[in-house]
Amino acid sequence: MKRIDLNADAGESFGAYKIGNDEALFPLISSVNIACGFHGGDFSVMRRSVLLAKEHGVSIGAHPSYPDQQGFGRREIALTPDEIYDSLIYQIGALQAFCHVEGVELSHVKPHGALYNRATKDREVANAIANAVKDLVPNGILYGLSGGQLIEAGQEAGIRVAREAFADRGYQVDGSLMPRNEHCSVLRDSSVVLNQVKQIILEGHVKTVSGERVAMEADTICFHGDGAGVIELLGAVRNLLTREGISVQKLDPTI
């Protein structure tokens, strides 16, 4: 049976501010990327997110970002590769500590927002991220955009990688994501999202916002936990996968 991992960015609430509905989200996904405090999340949210993932048997990943709470990590910050490495050790290590206390494993790392997008095209940044993962979570999985530099950097560093595609984001002709300030950067029509997921998993391609087809291989499909209607959308995607005979399973770091 064909299988796919469904991941979501979550744990992004902060103090009195709630973002997303993690209690409803976690039962529908197989892996979660938990914010580490630099764009969202705080120490209590991180621990609750780890406990929620443990309760539902969801693989736990760190979701580090630029230090940009005001911009939700979606603004470019001029950090050097060494600073990016240090910031990832800091953020991943914090979530790793909560996992240790709760007796669960940190299975993967996925950069967030502008840092993720920069690592897709900037090999020095990608190398800094891959080296941080290798040094701190050597048996873990590095999630990166399918076809991007982060995947190649992880492979070169000798760590396991997961090629990621997005259910709810528009693509450009080079296989990168549409910038969020551009038209069609976020897909809001559920039928369009369902069709994109089906194309990626079953047909191995994605249609760009301008209509071209771009080859796309994916081990995991991402959903944004703060997206409008994401709970209903995930339910519809799971129903689609069931009809197509596709199993939703978390990735195994030991393979």
Side-chain angles (χ1 to χ4, degrees), residues 195-206:
N195 190 54
Q196 179 155 298
V197 170
K198 187 175 180 179
Q199 286 180 335
I200 292 169
I201 298 175
L202 295 179
E203 301 171 22
H205 71 261
V206 67

Side-chain angles (χ1 to χ4, degrees), residues 38 180 220:
F38 273 29
R180 280 186 171 267
T220 183

Side-chain angles (χ1 to χ4, degrees), residues 6 8 44 71 78 94 96 98-99 102 107 111 126-127 136 200 227 229-230 239:
L6 300 182
S44 295
Q96 202 173 41
F98 282 111
C99 289
E102 300 303 335
S107 70
N127 287 341
L136 198 55
I200 292 169
V230 66
N239 288 337

Side-chain angles (χ1 to χ4, degrees), residues 221-242:
I221 304 289
C222 176
F223 296 80
H224 290 89
D226 64 330
V230 66
I231 305 303
E232 294 77 13
L233 183 59
L234 265 165
V237 167
R238 291 191 69 112
N239 288 337
L240 167 68
L241 297 179
T242 297

